[in-house]
Amino acid sequence: QGPLRADAEGVLVFAAASLKTALDEIAPAFEQQSGQEVTISYAASSVLARQIQLGAPADLFISANADWMDVLQEQGLIDEASRVDLLGNGLVLIAGGDAITIGEMRPDVDLQAALDGGHLAMALVDAVPAGIYGKAALQSLGQWSRVQNQVAQTDNVRAALALVATGAAPLGIVYRSDAAVEDRVQVVATFSPDLHPPIIYPAAATVPASAGAKAFLAHLNSEAARVVFAEQGFALPGG
Amino acid sequence: MSLSVRLQHDLPDISLDINFEAPPGVTVLFGRSGAGKTTVVNAVAGLLRPSAGRVAIDDWELFDTDHGLWLPPHKRRLGYIFQEGRLFPHLTVRQNLFFGRWFAPRRARRESPEKVIEMLGVGHLLDRRPAGLSGGEKQRIAIGRALLASPRLILADEPLAALDDARKSEILPYFERLRDEVSVPILYVTHSAAEVARLATSVVALQDGKAVRHGPASEVLADPSVAPAGVRAVGAVLQVRVAKHHEDGLTELDAGGTSLFLPRIPHQIGASLRIRIPAQEVILSSKRPEGLSALNMLEGTVETIRAGEGPGAIVSIKTKAGSVLARITRRSVASLGLEPGRVCYAVIKTVALAPQDVGGRLGNY
Amino acid sequence: MSLSVRLQHDLPDISLDINFEAPPGVTVLFGRSGAGKTTVVNAVAGLLRPSAGRVAIDDWELFDTDHGLWLPPHKRRLGYIFQEGRLFPHLTVRQNLFFGRWFAPRRARRESPEKVIEMLGVGHLLDRRPAGLSGGEKQRIAIGRALLASPRLILADEPLAALDDARKSEILPYFERLRDEVSVPILYVTHSAAEVARLATSVVALQDGKAVRHGPASEVLADPSVAPAGVRAVGAVLQVRVAKHHEDGLTELDAGGTSLFLPRIPHQIGASLRIRIPAQEVILSSKRPEGLSALNMLEGTVETIRAGEGPGAIVSIKTKAGSVLARITRRSVASLGLEPGRVCYAVIKTVALAPQDVGGRLGNY
Amino acid sequence: MGWLGPEELEALKLSLRVSFWATLVTLPIGIFVAYALARWRFPGRQVLNGLVHLPLILPPVVTGYLLLITFGIQGPLGRLLAEFGIVVAFRWTGAALAAGIMAFPLMVRAIRLSIEAVDPKLEQAGATLGASRPLVFATVTLPMILPGVIAGAILAFAKAMGEFGATITFVSNIPGQTQTLPSAVYAFLQVPGGEAAATRLVVISIVIAMGALLLSEFIGRRVASRVAGS
Amino acid sequence: MGWLGPEELEALKLSLRVSFWATLVTLPIGIFVAYALARWRFPGRQVLNGLVHLPLILPPVVTGYLLLITFGIQGPLGRLLAEFGIVVAFRWTGAALAAGIMAFPLMVRAIRLSIEAVDPKLEQAGATLGASRPLVFATVTLPMILPGVIAGAILAFAKAMGEFGATITFVSNIPGQTQTLPSAVYAFLQVPGGEAAATRLVVISIVIAMGALLLSEFIGRRVASRVAGS
Ligand SMILES: Nc1ncnc2c1ncn2[C@@H]1O[C@H](COP(=O)(O)OP(=O)(O)OP(=O)(O)O)[C@@H](O)[C@H]1O
Ligand SMILES: Nc1ncnc2c1ncn2[C@@H]1O[C@H](COP(=O)(O)OP(=O)(O)OP(=O)(O)O)[C@@H](O)[C@H]1O
Ligand SMILES: [Mg+2]
Ligand SMILES: [Mg+2]
């Protein structure tokens, strides 16, 4: 018998892949407390959202951006009442090896000069959330048009991180949470949250969700969980 | 069982138009390369669909284009012995032999495998694979495979052509045994006059897609105007009986009252045989020769003299043993004063009769 | 140019141990299937690396295992005519013919392509591909291809074995012309006595990997104890000269003063020829025969009588034309009272000498 | 395999199961399609040929998406199969379906080439000996193409072991159900510090796939020499 | 192609260029490797065979990552090539490298099978006629395997047209430099409502790849019949 059910036993979570480390740490505690089994499928938000659109038996969806959650909500596939902005995140400019830290990113920082002909690693700037936010931030700073042609776009933000970590690109724009755990990169500058639309990880139970779904969602908002998220570099809404 | 064949088919180079009834026994399709022999056999086998025609074994029709009847090959119950063997390389000799048998209706299984294996002398090869076999062995397996399918008709398309002389004389006896011991009609393709003489009950001579001559082997082969294989193929076929095996290694044959001597042949006394006497092996003498090493002399009278284009002539002599043909020079015809009605002697060397010109027990003809 | 071959090589079934020096002309490797003929040729060609040995053309060494010398095949400048043709299917006949020529050193190009194409009669095929050709045509192209590589040695491995008789007699003359018009040594593999008689300057008889006999063709073939191809291959080779072409289609040959008659052969008067007279075609007579259709009678004295195991015996008669062999029954030996020294007459039918037993101009032997 | 976590072990087992069934079920279809492409001339032959090659050419994500649309819970074929009690969506069976489809072109190509190498004259010989078309296929053609079939099957197995894009798009990445080895690798690569675990899994799949390939070369050669006769 | 935006048109052109060069440059290497695998027995032959198959078996992301490590700006081979003025990182040349490597196993398999079908006796005949090994290859083997080479090349081209995972991981997605058709498709699929645009691009790549495949069947058959003689 497969997961084609929304039964009382167990919770099937569809979560953006970037949450893997945190959720894998949080879920066991909940399983012990509640006796419910939590199964988490990690993939790109777009993939998971499409699967839910086409009938996937997920109980809980945690997206890496608001757009896909909005689409599902419009189609009535999620329980509107349960939707919460679970996490936030910030963007940072990273560099490989030893680099000077300049604190907050300012319009007068000569990003182009810093690249020195190299590439700026970002996720796809028109498709993948981290890339979309990054592009918006650079536009706000008036830097986009100058570096536009030097942006190396990857299919996910982790690949952009890897470009910088392996030295293939001198600089990159990634989530703070990604930069936090990668030893080979250093945060050069942070982007102020008002330079780009708010980075939000919305979470919601699906319409035919199991009873455990809401309990697990509540657990994700618990103090213990918040500690783990914070450790991973995520921002907490209102926190 | 008799075979009736009527075929019309256009190929890029020649068009086939053939019509013959084959009596029981071995029917030989005889003709030069490209005459259309394989095409006929393939049509009988169902591997080629002729544009018009009908083939029937007795009154069991294999196909009849007039009535839209067409049996697929596997329903025709044939044993096709291909020129190149076509043994299955992935099967052992035993599996090859039994291949057709698996598919033959149980009640139709006539041949006993033991008997066939013994007859072909392939018992020691059963567990080997075809790749390691000699050409002669392969061809024997192919014969056995066709036979064990318990066919209602055996097709053999130049089964010996790819073999050297030694192998040929090794295999030919099996076909004789097939003809004599297994009562299945055989359609046999060849362009070797020796094979025709030895095996054929009747002969269909093909030329450019047409059956130019059709009749008993002895008639067709004695006709130098047909001689599809060239003048050297002309010869007479005599019906003889084994009279005695002499101690000095010779066998004495009784040919209509006259004695003929041959190097020992492995047939029992009293056995009916046919021997082919190639016209060019016969010397004629105007008087009874003396002091010659040749042991065979047949007295007779000249029937006809046919002069060819070259220096030779074919002289037919009526003897007590039957008609004997001799190919001699026109110069000799003149110097011996030969003319129809003259008495003369046909001299035949004992050792000049090659083993493959001596046939087994005579068929039904 | 002479060829010197010394070889030792172990194969799973037989071990090869061969040593011979071949004089200029055609050296025939003669022996049964499996005797090791192809293995020897492959070693000469460099397609097989024998465990020990040396092969040299005059003093140009192809390999010498003692000195670690090994020329790769493409440096050996050979013309290998394979049993199966091995024409390149993707090239036209012209490209096939010129293949070896592309790679031959420019100054070594001896044969004129026009001459070779004309000699082989393949001019009309040049733009076709091998797939569409008949077996005989294919083999002629293979010969031309080998020739146009301007080789220092021609290897021919049973080049006629896959062909039927008609094709064989179509190709054999080309090898004669090769021997007579092109001064390249030829190593020729066959198991046909007729081919040996017609082509060979010298013969190396192989048996089970060993060279059991080696010498001029006339000697090896006249020896019934060798006769690797069976007693029917025994025959004598006579050296003759074309004396006259008669109007009745016969050709008169001069054989050491005696006349022999044959159906017209296409050689000029005065041409030197050799003819093979198969022992079994010869009839002996104790007195001068009269009234016989056979035109050829050679007077001579009995040299030796060798009785075989069967009913036959080989009688050698010394005539003015040379030694003639006759295969007759022991019974006739007795009845004619033959014994060494006796005078007797060898009778040979004019038409019994097959065209393929008549050779072209004699080689250097 | 003490150094594999339970979840990784599960992914390995699942990958083996998925690849095994993907190969096994597609094999007869692959043989049939290869035979049809090699031996029959029928209208739409080139269309079939193109369809077979499609998964090789399309980005895997697209293939996965197409599968999701057609074989998903709401897809037309998905519903049809569900009528017969066969559910592939978000089950390991779906992963097998995706893997099988992605590996199919490789399998068909290998088998087709070996069928084209079989001399139709041998099949004719089988027919004259009384074997109908299917029996000729079973007794002559199939045994002779066995090396090609084995090569095709093992290549397909290896490919199935590495399939990722279509699988995750079609059946997601559910541990124990649809999380194959490559999906697990993907998940590890999406988070910081996951490279070590990912590398471990990659090495395992390389070892298995290479083992299978070597095996196929070996079996292929043995069978080939048996078929050609020794 | 009025219904393609300028950026999409650029992606299409780039994909064609990348696939073309990927095929052209890997072809001689593929022929050489196929020949070595088919005809030579050398230590490490099976290792080479395994290496060639690796991209078929590995998840493409892993291949891309390995390429990044070795051929990237900091990678050992990347630096070596840079010494000779050849930069592949973030260039279309890198996309071609990735596509070529991903398509390589398909190419080699096709060519290898056709080499194994050539009768070595013909090559021997060429040698006895004075052609050295390379010349025998050029004048005998190569013309005879031409159908297989063409099939292999076009299959590789089609595969290269669809390659995505390794390419984007290795050279990322730089419009005009490395944004191939599949990258564009991927980008469209990431955002809600992008399906229509993605479908358009997918249809284009299918048309091109199918056209190439049909062409290969056609050419292959023509050449084969020319080689076998008519
Ligand atoms: N499928 C075909 N397509 C075109 N021509 C064909 C075909 N089959 C046979 N032919 C031609 O028909 C003629 C007769 O062929 P067939 O094979 O029947 O001759 P055959 O008498 O068997 O000759 P052989 O003794 O050489 O086997 C030949 O000229 C041959 O080229
Ligand atoms: N590569 C090989 N491996 C094993 N045995 C071989 C090999 N080549 C030849 N032989 C064996 O060596 C023997 C001699 O073979 P070879 O081909 O030289 O004979 P041949 O005289 O040319 O015979 P044929 O007249 O049949 O061509 C045969 O018994 C053959 O089976
Ligand atoms: Mg025929
Ligand atoms: Mg040989």
Side-chain angles (χ1 to χ4, degrees):
Chain A
Q1 80 293 13
L4 244 192
R5 52 89 190 97
D7 57 21
E9 297 301 312
V11 184
L12 177 60
V13 182
F14 274 19
S18 51
L19 297 172
K20 178 174 165 64
T21 315
L23 291 185
D24 280 353
E25 205 173 326
I26 295 166
F30 173 76
E31 286 181 326
Q32 275 194 339
Q33 280 173 28
S34 66
Q36 302 238 32
E37 194 184 329
V38 178
T39 310
I40 310 174
S41 173
Y42 300 106
S45 304
S46 58
V47 167
L48 297 171
R50 275 217 184 77
Q51 288 170 347
I52 291 172
Q53 280 182 323
L54 291 168
D59 299 307
L60 194 62
F61 177 42
I62 310 175
S63 173
N65 71 357
D67 291 354
W68 279 109
M69 193 63 95
D70 294 344
V71 170
L72 294 187
Q73 183 168 345
E74 274 161 32
Q75 294 178 345
L77 293 168
I78 55 163
D79 178 0
E80 254 178 82
S82 68
R83 174 168 174 169
V84 290
D85 289 344
L86 182 64
L87 296 169
N89 212 337
L91 287 180
V92 293
L93 181 72
I94 55 166
D98 299 324
I100 32 157
T101 305
I102 56 170
E104 185 131 325
M105 189 69 182
R106 297 180 311 272
D108 59 338
V109 173
D110 194 346
L111 201 52
Q112 200 182 10
L115 284 172
D116 189 24
H119 285 87
L120 176 64
M122 296 173 72
L124 285 166
V125 296
D126 294 318
V128 174
I132 296 171
Y133 299 135
K135 178 181 174 184
L138 289 178
Q139 279 172 331
S140 307
L141 289 166
Q143 301 253 23
W144 174 247
S145 55
R146 276 186 276 148
V147 296
Q148 188 174 6
N149 292 326
Q150 281 168 268
V151 175
Q153 309 176 39
T154 58
D155 56 329
N156 61 66
V157 69
R158 290 287 310 167
L161 183 68
L163 286 182
V164 179
T166 58
L171 297 173
I173 299 177
V174 299
Y175 288 130
R176 189 171 60 229
S177 60
D178 293 313
V181 204
E182 174 60 75
D183 296 335
R184 292 175 291 174
V185 303
Q186 204 177 346
V187 175
V188 176
T190 58
F191 289 90
S192 156
D194 35 272
L195 289 174
H196 51 78
I199 302 175
I200 286 170
Y201 288 68
T206 59
V207 166
S210 66
K214 285 185 181 140
F216 185 59
L217 190 50
H219 178 79
L220 291 177
N221 273 310
S222 71
E223 193 53 38
R226 285 170 158 260
V227 172
V228 175
F229 284 133
E231 269 172 13
Q232 298 289 323
F234 289 102
L236 305 169
Chain B
M1 272 188 285
S2 74
L3 174 72
S4 136
V5 174
R6 178 166 55 76
L7 278 184
Q8 271 162 333
H9 193 67
D10 286 341
L11 286 167
D13 293 337
I14 62 168
S15 36
L16 230 62
D17 188 353
I18 279 172
N19 197 341
F20 65 88
E21 295 271 335
V26 175
T27 304
V28 168
L29 284 180
F30 186 58
R32 283 188 177 275
S33 189
K37 306 181 296 294
T38 300
T39 312
V40 172
V41 175
N42 278 343
V44 173
L47 300 181
L48 173 123
R49 201 164 185 146
S51 39
R54 176 181 176 275
V55 166
I57 300 172
D58 289 339
D59 46 358
W60 182 46
E61 291 188 318
L62 298 185
F63 69 90
D64 183 351
T65 50
D66 291 349
H67 301 96
L69 176 78
W70 178 262
L71 281 189
H74 69 277
K75 294 213 174 126
R76 297 194 176 193
R77 309 262 327 275
L78 304 167
Y80 194 158
I81 302 161
F82 298 91
Q83 182 166 339
E84 342 81 89
R86 298 200 196 177
L87 296 183
F88 301 118
H90 59 293
L91 300 181
T92 62
V93 165
R94 186 194 313 275
Q95 290 165 328
N96 265 286
L97 283 171
F98 281 66
F99 189 93
R101 196 178 164 83
W102 295 340
F103 304 110
R106 193 168 291 274
R107 53 181 168 67
R109 294 184 185 169
R110 275 171 293 120
E111 309 308 328
S112 124
E114 294 73 30
K115 196 184 133 204
V116 170
I117 289 167
E118 204 245 285
M119 175 178 115
L120 296 171
V122 293
H124 59 295
L125 303 173
L126 294 179
D127 293 321
R128 292 176 58 186
R129 276 176 207 285
L133 303 181
S134 81
E137 288 165 342
K138 276 186 193 153
Q139 211 58 6
R140 261 142 68 196
I141 310 296
I143 296 169
R145 183 179 69 172
L147 216 55
L148 284 176
S150 301
R152 301 188 57 172
L153 171 67
I154 288 176
L155 304 171
D157 186 8
E158 309 199 37
L160 309 184
L163 305 176
D164 61 30
D165 287 346
R167 296 275 162 273
K168 271 192 185 123
S169 44
E170 178 186 299
I171 305 277
L172 253 178
Y174 296 109
F175 277 99
E176 288 177 336
R177 291 167 84 167
L178 262 189
R179 179 192 62 199
D180 300 335
E181 294 171 21
V182 184
S183 64
V184 177
I186 300 176
L187 190 59
Y188 188 103
V189 171
T190 188
H191 48 232
S192 148
E195 284 174 40
V196 175
R198 205 158 155 188
L199 293 174
T201 314
S202 72
V203 175
V204 179
L206 287 193
Q207 213 170 316
D208 295 333
K210 315 279 177 289
V212 290
R213 189 78 202 263
H214 176 202
S218 46
E219 276 178 28
V220 175
L221 274 196
D223 183 352
S225 75
V226 169
V231 76
R232 289 173 67 85
V234 174
V237 177
L238 298 185
Q239 225 170 300
V240 298
R241 186 171 293 278
V242 177
K244 192 171 173 196
H245 292 303
H246 289 267
E247 280 187 5
D248 59 359
L250 297 181
T251 297
E252 184 175 345
L253 304 174
D254 172 54
T258 338
S259 282
L260 287 178
F261 291 89
L262 261 82
R264 170 82 47 112
I265 52 173
H267 294 81
Q268 289 184 342
I269 290 175
S272 228
L273 287 183
R274 56 170 133 192
I275 55 172
R276 175 170 173 271
I277 301 179
Q280 66 181 2
E281 301 284 0
V282 178
I283 292 180
L284 295 184
S285 178
S286 53
K287 48 185 186 179
R288 178 169 283 276
E290 277 165 42
L292 274 192
S293 62
L295 292 175
N296 301 315
M297 280 164 227
L298 296 169
E299 182 177 347
T301 53
V302 175
E303 287 179 312
T304 56
I305 301 176
R306 273 179 285 208
E309 283 169 27
I314 304 279
V315 180
S316 166
I317 298 113
K318 191 181 176 70
T319 72
K320 275 194 276 180
S323 279
V324 171
L325 299 178
R327 184 162 162 257
I328 63 177
T329 55
R330 292 205 309 251
R331 178 179 293 203
S332 298
V333 171
S335 68
L336 297 186
L338 296 183
E339 53 184 34
R342 249 207 82 157
V343 172
C344 69
Y345 298 83
V347 180
I348 306 150
K349 278 200 75 167
T350 308
V351 296
L353 292 176
Q356 77 224 39
D357 291 337
V358 180
R361 185 154 59 78
L362 196 59
N364 302 2
Y365 244 72
Chain C
M1 274 189 284
S2 75
L3 174 72
S4 139
V5 174
R6 179 166 54 77
L7 278 183
Q8 271 162 333
H9 193 66
D10 286 342
L11 287 166
D13 292 339
I14 62 168
S15 37
L16 231 62
D17 189 353
I18 279 172
N19 197 341
F20 65 88
E21 294 272 335
V26 175
T27 304
V28 168
L29 284 181
F30 186 57
R32 283 188 176 276
S33 190
K37 306 182 294 295
T38 299
T39 313
V40 171
V41 175
N42 279 341
V44 173
L47 301 179
L48 173 123
R49 200 163 187 149
S51 39
R54 175 180 177 277
V55 166
I57 300 172
D58 289 337
D59 45 359
W60 182 46
E61 292 189 317
L62 299 184
F63 69 90
D64 183 350
T65 49
D66 291 349
H67 300 97
L69 177 78
W70 178 261
L71 282 189
H74 68 277
K75 295 212 175 127
R76 297 195 175 193
R77 310 262 328 275
L78 304 167
Y80 193 158
I81 302 161
F82 298 91
Q83 183 165 340
E84 340 82 90
R86 298 201 197 176
L87 296 183
F88 302 117
H90 59 293
L91 300 180
T92 62
V93 165
R94 186 194 311 275
Q95 290 165 328
N96 265 285
L97 283 171
F98 282 67
F99 189 92
R101 196 178 163 81
W102 296 339
F103 304 110
R106 193 169 288 274
R107 55 184 164 65
R109 293 185 183 167
R110 272 171 295 119
E111 309 308 327
S112 125
E114 294 72 31
K115 195 185 132 202
V116 170
I117 289 169
E118 203 244 286
M119 175 178 115
L120 296 170
V122 293
H124 59 296
L125 304 173
L126 292 180
D127 293 320
R128 292 175 58 186
R129 276 177 208 286
L133 303 181
S134 81
E137 289 165 340
K138 276 185 194 154
Q139 212 58 6
R140 262 144 65 197
I141 311 297
I143 295 170
R145 184 178 68 172
L147 216 54
L148 285 176
S150 301
R152 301 190 56 174
L153 171 68
I154 289 176
L155 304 172
D157 187 6
E158 309 200 36
L160 310 182
L163 306 176
D164 61 30
D165 286 346
R167 295 275 164 275
K168 272 192 186 122
S169 45
E170 178 186 299
I171 304 277
L172 252 179
Y174 297 109
F175 276 98
E176 288 177 336
R177 290 167 84 167
L178 264 189
R179 179 192 61 199
D180 301 335
E181 295 171 21
V182 185
S183 63
V184 177
I186 300 176
L187 190 60
Y188 189 102
V189 171
T190 188
H191 49 231
S192 149
E195 284 174 38
V196 176
R198 207 161 153 184
L199 293 176
T201 314
S202 72
V203 175
V204 179
L206 287 194
Q207 213 169 317
D208 296 332
K210 314 279 176 290
V212 291
R213 189 79 202 261
H214 176 202
S218 47
E219 276 178 26
V220 176
L221 275 194
D223 182 352
S225 75
V226 169
V231 75
R232 289 174 67 85
V234 174
V237 177
L238 297 185
Q239 225 170 301
V240 298
R241 184 172 294 278
V242 177
K244 191 172 173 196
H245 292 303
H246 288 267
E247 279 188 6
D248 57 1
L250 296 182
T251 296
E252 183 175 344
L253 304 174
D254 171 54
T258 340
S259 282
L260 288 177
F261 291 90
L262 261 84
R264 168 83 46 113
I265 53 172
H267 294 83
Q268 290 186 343
I269 290 175
S272 228
L273 288 182
R274 54 171 137 194
I275 56 173
R276 176 170 172 268
I277 301 181
Q280 65 180 359
E281 302 284 1
V282 178
I283 291 179
L284 295 184
S285 177
S286 52
K287 47 185 186 179
R288 176 169 285 277
E290 278 166 40
L292 274 192
S293 63
L295 292 176
N296 301 314
M297 279 161 231
L298 295 169
E299 182 176 347
T301 51
V302 175
E303 285 179 314
T304 57
I305 301 175
R306 273 178 285 210
E309 282 169 30
I314 304 278
V315 181
S316 166
I317 298 112
K318 191 182 176 67
T319 72
K320 274 192 279 182
S323 279
V324 172
L325 300 179
R327 185 161 163 256
I328 63 178
T329 55
R330 292 205 308 250
R331 178 180 291 204
S332 298
V333 171
S335 69
L336 297 186
L338 295 182
E339 55 185 31
R342 251 206 82 156
V343 172
C344 70
Y345 297 84
V347 180
I348 306 150
K349 280 200 73 167
T350 307
V351 295
L353 291 176
Q356 78 225 37
D357 292 337
V358 181
R361 185 153 59 79
L362 194 60
N364 302 2
Y365 246 74
Chain D
M1 302 230 182
W3 46 291
L4 277 185
E7 203 172 298
E8 294 166 14
L9 203 61
E10 200 163 24
L12 171 60
K13 279 197 222 156
L14 184 75
S15 264
L16 287 172
R17 178 162 23 134
V18 161
S19 305
F20 175 78
W21 284 103
T23 309
L24 199 73
V25 172
T26 49
L27 193 55
I29 309 169
I31 294 174
F32 179 81
V33 170
Y35 191 85
L37 288 176
R39 283 287 155 84
W40 299 339
R41 296 288 166 269
F42 52 93
R45 183 171 156 272
Q46 285 305 341
V47 175
L48 176 64
N49 187 30
L51 267 180
V52 165
H53 277 90
L54 214 47
L56 205 61
I57 291 155
L58 285 182
V61 182
V62 174
T63 308
Y65 187 52
L66 293 175
L67 284 176
L68 185 61
I69 293 173
T70 46
F71 284 95
I73 295 167
Q74 300 169 358
L77 290 181
R79 285 194 206 174
L80 190 73
L81 285 180
E83 297 274 309
F84 297 99
I86 303 169
V87 178
V88 291
F90 307 104
R91 302 266 179 99
W92 72 266
T93 46
L97 176 64
I101 283 185
M102 292 299 285
F104 199 60
L106 297 179
M107 180 189 276
V108 170
R109 283 188 77 87
I111 299 176
R112 178 180 166 181
L113 281 170
S114 63
I115 291 177
E116 282 170 350
V118 171
D119 188 352
K121 289 184 170 178
L122 287 177
E123 295 173 328
Q124 288 185 349
T128 64
L129 287 165
S132 59
R133 279 252 205 144
L135 283 173
V136 165
F137 180 79
T139 56
V140 179
T141 321
L142 190 58
M144 296 199 66
I145 62 171
L146 219 53
V149 170
I150 291 170
I154 295 197
L155 191 65
F157 179 85
K159 170 74 189 171
M161 284 294 293
E163 213 304 300
F164 159 66
T167 307
I168 198 171
T169 312
F170 177 31
V171 290
S172 198
N173 183 2
I174 303 166
Q177 280 290 343
T178 62
Q179 184 172 61
T180 58
L181 225 45
S183 300
V185 169
Y186 164 82
F188 278 121
L189 284 179
Q190 291 309 300
V191 294
E195 287 88 355
T199 307
R200 217 162 51 215
L201 295 184
V202 166
V203 168
I204 291 175
S205 32
I206 291 180
V207 168
I208 293 173
M210 287 296 137
L213 275 178
L214 287 188
L215 194 72
S216 87
E217 291 263 333
F218 179 73
I219 298 180
R221 209 155 332 126
R222 289 227 17 199
V223 175
S225 79
R226 199 177 64 87
V227 164
S230 62
Chain E
M1 302 229 181
W3 46 291
L4 277 186
E7 204 171 298
E8 294 167 14
L9 202 62
E10 200 164 23
L12 171 60
K13 280 195 219 158
L14 185 74
S15 266
L16 288 172
R17 177 158 28 131
V18 161
S19 306
F20 175 77
W21 285 103
T23 310
L24 198 73
V25 172
T26 49
L27 194 55
I29 309 169
I31 294 174
F32 179 81
V33 170
Y35 191 85
L37 288 175
R39 284 286 156 84
W40 298 339
R41 296 288 167 270
F42 52 94
R45 183 169 157 273
Q46 285 306 340
V47 175
L48 177 64
N49 188 29
L51 267 180
V52 166
H53 277 91
L54 213 49
L56 204 62
I57 291 155
L58 285 182
V61 183
V62 175
T63 308
Y65 191 71
L66 292 175
L67 283 176
L68 184 62
I69 293 174
T70 46
F71 284 94
I73 295 171
Q74 304 287 326
L77 289 181
R79 284 192 207 174
L80 190 72
L81 285 180
E83 298 272 309
F84 296 99
I86 304 170
V87 179
V88 291
F90 303 115
R91 302 273 174 93
W92 71 267
T93 46
L97 176 65
I101 282 184
M102 292 299 286
F104 198 60
L106 298 178
M107 180 190 275
V108 170
R109 283 188 75 87
I111 299 176
R112 179 179 166 180
L113 281 169
S114 62
I115 291 177
E116 281 169 352
V118 171
D119 188 350
K121 289 183 170 180
L122 287 176
E123 296 173 327
Q124 288 185 348
T128 64
L129 287 164
S132 58
R133 279 250 204 148
L135 283 172
V136 165
F137 181 80
T139 56
V140 178
T141 321
L142 189 59
M144 296 199 68
I145 61 172
L146 220 51
V149 170
I150 291 170
I154 295 199
L155 191 66
F157 178 84
K159 170 74 189 171
M161 284 294 293
E163 214 302 303
F164 162 65
T167 307
I168 198 165
T169 309
F170 176 32
V171 291
S172 83
N173 178 343
I174 304 169
Q177 278 288 341
T178 62
Q179 183 174 54
T180 59
L181 224 47
S183 297
V185 169
Y186 178 82
F188 279 124
L189 283 179
Q190 291 307 302
V191 293
E195 288 89 349
T199 307
R200 216 165 52 214
L201 295 187
V202 166
V203 168
I204 291 174
S205 29
I206 291 180
V207 167
I208 292 172
M210 287 297 136
L213 274 178
L214 287 187
L215 194 72
S216 88
E217 291 263 333
F218 179 74
I219 298 180
R221 207 155 333 125
R222 291 235 4 208
V223 175
S225 79
R226 199 177 64 86
V227 165
S230 64

